[in-house]
Amino acid sequence: MSEVGTHRRLQLSELEELRNDAYESAKIYKEKTKVFHDRHIIRKSFQVGDKVLLYNSRLHLFPSKLRSRWVGPYIVKSVFRHGAIEILNPSTKAVSKVNGQRLKPILELPSDRVVEVMDLYEPLYFDD
C-alpha cells in the first residue's frame, strides 16, 4: 500500500510541475505578445488648433456598411495631461470634452498649390 501511495504522490507532483511549466510558458507568451503589440502602437499627440475627426461610437447600434464612422471636422481647443481633449465644433460653436483615443487628425494638403491651366484647341485639317 505504501508503494502505491508513494507512486501516486509522485504522479501528483509531476502533474503540478507540468501545470507550473504551462503557466510559466503562457506568462512568457503573453509578455512577448504585449511587447510586440505595444511596439506597433502609434501614439497620437494633438496641438491646440489642430483639425480632428471624432469617432461615432453610436453607429454600432445601427450599423451601416457605407456610412462613415468619423464625424467632423472639429478643432482642438485644449489638451489635458490625462488624455482628455476639448474640441470645438466650428459650425455650432459647441465645446465638448472627449477621450483622445476617439480622435484622429485630419491630414490636409497645402492650400497654396499652383494650378496650371492649359487650353486645348481643335486641330486644323486641310483638305488636299
Side-chain angles (χ1 to χ4, degrees):
M1 193 71 160
S2 67
E3 289 181 29
V4 174
T6 307
H7 182 66
R8 180 72 176 149
R9 275 188 246 126
L10 184 61
Q11 285 179 334
L12 288 175
S13 66
E14 286 178 5
L15 182 63
E16 189 66 30
E17 284 183 35
L18 287 173
R19 284 183 183 157
N20 287 338
D21 289 343
Y23 176 77
E24 287 297 320
S25 65
K27 186 177 175 183
I28 291 170
Y29 172 76
K30 287 180 183 179
E31 288 173 356
K32 287 182 180 179
T33 305
K34 182 180 179 351
V35 168
F36 178 79
H37 179 266
D38 290 347
R39 195 173 33 202
H40 287 85
I41 290 178
I42 298 172
R43 303 284 180 209
K44 299 177 193 173
S45 61
F46 298 102
Q47 308 296 328
V48 175
D50 287 350
K51 289 186 178 180
V52 294
L53 294 176
L54 176 65
Y55 182 73
N56 185 4
S57 59
R58 295 183 188 188
L59 196 61
H60 289 295
L61 299 176
F62 307 104
S64 178
K65 288 184 180 179
L66 300 178
R67 183 179 289 175
S68 175
R69 288 189 159 94
W70 298 93
V71 292
Y74 292 94
I75 298 173
V76 175
K77 187 173 180 187
S78 61
V79 179
F80 298 99
R81 248 186 330 161
H82 51 82
I85 296 178
E86 248 183 2
I87 56 174
L88 169 74
N89 188 345
S91 60
T92 63
K93 304 296 183 200
V95 176
S96 57
K97 188 184 284 190
V98 297
N99 189 345
Q101 294 177 348
R102 293 182 57 201
L103 298 175
K104 76 174 179 180
I106 296 177
L107 302 175
E108 295 181 331
L109 295 174
S111 61
D112 56 340
R113 296 186 308 174
V114 176
V115 178
E116 184 176 328
V117 178
M118 182 183 298
D119 294 329
L120 300 176
Y121 298 104
E122 285 290 324
L124 298 175
Y125 293 107
F126 296 104
D127 291 334
D128 289 328

